[in-house]
Amino acid sequence: MKKLIPAYVRVPVIFFAVFMAMEYFIDSGDRPAFIKFPMVSVFLFVFLFLLIAIEITVSAVDNITYQLLTEEQKAQLNLASDLSFKDSEWYKKLMTKLTKTESLDNEDQLLLDHDYDGIKELDNNLPPWWVYLFYACIIFGVVYMVRFEVLGADNQEMELKKEVAQAKIDIAEYMKTAPDMMDEKTVTLLTDPADLAAGKEIFTTNCAACHRADGGGQIGPNLTDDQWILGGGIKNVFHTLVNGGRDGKGMISWKGTLKPKEMQKVASYILSLKGSNPPDAKAPEGEVWVEENVTVAVK
């Protein structure tokens, strides 16, 4: 018996539809689900086997049923099977409902009195889908005008501005709690001994060559007194670590080497050296810095 979609098309389409659905709904990370989870492969294999088995069974049932028909029934079935898609009864009924086409036998009733160089005009009805679409456009236009012109709803430009403003607020809130996203505006002073110990280790590895292990200063300035060239306090010291010192004679930027959290720790350690008075310290440079409204990270 004739099928609208042949089995060699139907089986692959159904199988790959199920396959793609499983890949979409099963969270398997960066690997395909059928590789990461062996049971998925087993299920797909069994599913494909069942699909083929069902097609074979249905085909066998159709053949047996066809053999049980009388010659007259076989002829009627063959005639129906030989009909093209557009000649089928259901297709004709569907197109009649969608277009409201009139039969050619009624053409004389549709002819208008107009005649343009032998071209005659028929007074056909508009297709229902076109009419309904026209009505839908009118309803949409009324709703659109009332919403945006009368009630003053946000247009696309205003919606974009609000979303951008909200995104900036969300980013600012996230940066308050994301240590590797902090900057000189959000950085806070650390006082926990473990953080200061980690900062000391970073300082010894990266900064002692210029500032001495005790912070007394060598090539770089003394970090234990009250005077600062580029400003003291956690925010200024963090800013100097991120962006580097004075052009041409200051230290390099450490943002490509240290993470923000590491620079927060080393900056906090540097500030803890204030007043330690190491021997043979370098003479003070810069201006006296007085800290105001110090923000301390609380654990």
Side-chain angles (χ1 to χ4, degrees):
M1 297 181 184
K2 185 178 180 180
K3 295 288 192 304
L4 187 62
I5 302 176
Y8 60 83
V9 174
R10 186 166 54 249
V11 170
V13 167
I14 295 175
F15 175 77
F16 281 106
V18 173
F19 174 80
M20 295 303 296
M22 296 188 72
E23 288 292 338
Y24 179 79
F25 288 108
I26 297 177
D27 185 8
S28 57
D30 58 348
R31 301 172 60 193
F34 74 95
I35 294 178
K36 186 172 183 178
F37 303 109
M39 286 304 299
V40 174
S41 300
V42 174
F43 171 81
L44 290 173
F45 177 78
V46 173
F47 181 73
L48 179 60
F49 176 81
L50 291 176
L51 273 180
I52 298 174
I54 291 172
E55 288 293 338
I56 294 174
T57 303
V58 171
S59 178
V61 171
D62 286 344
N63 290 333
I64 294 173
T65 304
Y66 181 79
Q67 296 301 324
L68 296 176
L69 297 176
T70 63
E71 293 300 326
E72 182 179 353
Q73 291 173 329
K74 290 180 180 179
Q76 293 177 352
L77 182 60
N78 292 334
L79 181 62
S81 300
D82 292 337
L83 286 176
S84 64
F85 176 72
K86 293 184 178 181
D87 292 333
S88 59
E89 191 66 25
W90 69 270
Y91 178 81
K92 291 180 179 180
K93 290 181 179 180
L94 177 63
M95 294 306 297
T96 300
K97 290 182 179 179
L98 291 176
T99 61
K100 283 191 175 180
T101 53
E102 293 285 345
S103 173
L104 292 177
D105 298 335
N106 300 329
E107 187 177 285
D108 294 339
Q109 301 177 8
L110 300 176
L111 278 175
L112 297 177
D113 295 333
H114 306 155
D115 190 332
Y116 303 97
D117 294 333
I119 301 174
K120 296 182 179 181
E121 183 180 358
L122 297 177
D123 187 20
N124 282 310
N125 293 323
L126 288 171
W129 65 266
W130 193 97
V131 176
Y132 297 148
L133 183 61
F134 177 70
Y135 292 153
C137 290
I138 294 176
I139 295 172
F140 174 82
V142 172
V143 173
Y144 186 92
M145 184 186 69
V146 171
R147 182 169 182 241
F148 292 101
E149 301 299 330
V150 178
L151 301 180
D154 294 339
N155 56 24
Q156 291 181 334
E157 182 179 3
M158 184 57 65
E159 288 178 353
L160 176 61
K161 290 180 179 179
K162 287 185 176 180
E163 290 178 0
V164 171
Q166 184 60 45
K168 290 181 179 179
I169 295 174
D170 294 340
I171 292 173
E173 289 296 322
Y174 174 75
M175 290 183 66
K176 291 180 181 179
T177 57
D180 286 340
M181 292 291 290
M182 71 175 67
D183 57 18
E184 60 266 24
K185 295 180 180 180
T186 59
V187 66
T188 54
L189 180 66
L190 300 174
T191 58
D192 186 87
D195 291 328
L196 297 179
K200 179 180 180 180
E201 183 178 351
I202 298 172
F203 180 87
T204 303
T205 304
N206 300 280
C207 310
C210 294
H211 296 280
R212 286 183 13 188
D214 55 13
Q218 191 168 321
I219 299 174
N222 183 357
L223 301 176
T224 65
D225 54 44
D226 293 332
Q227 294 181 226
W228 295 85
I229 298 174
L230 298 175
I234 186 64
K235 297 184 183 300
N236 287 317
V237 175
F238 185 89
H239 176 83
T240 304
L241 288 170
V242 172
N243 298 286
R246 295 167 293 175
D247 292 338
K249 54 182 177 179
M251 73 173 186
I252 64 170
S253 168
W254 290 94
K255 63 183 178 181
T257 306
L258 301 176
K259 296 180 180 179
K261 186 63 177 177
E262 294 174 326
M263 287 187 282
Q264 181 192 27
K265 291 178 180 178
V266 72
S268 298
Y269 171 72
I270 290 171
L271 294 174
S272 72
L273 296 175
K274 179 182 177 181
S276 59
N277 299 319
D280 302 323
K282 193 174 182 181
E285 298 177 75
E287 299 178 357
V288 175
W289 174 263
V290 178
E291 185 70 22
E292 297 180 0
N293 300 326
V294 180
T295 302
V296 179
V298 179
K299 290 195 174 183

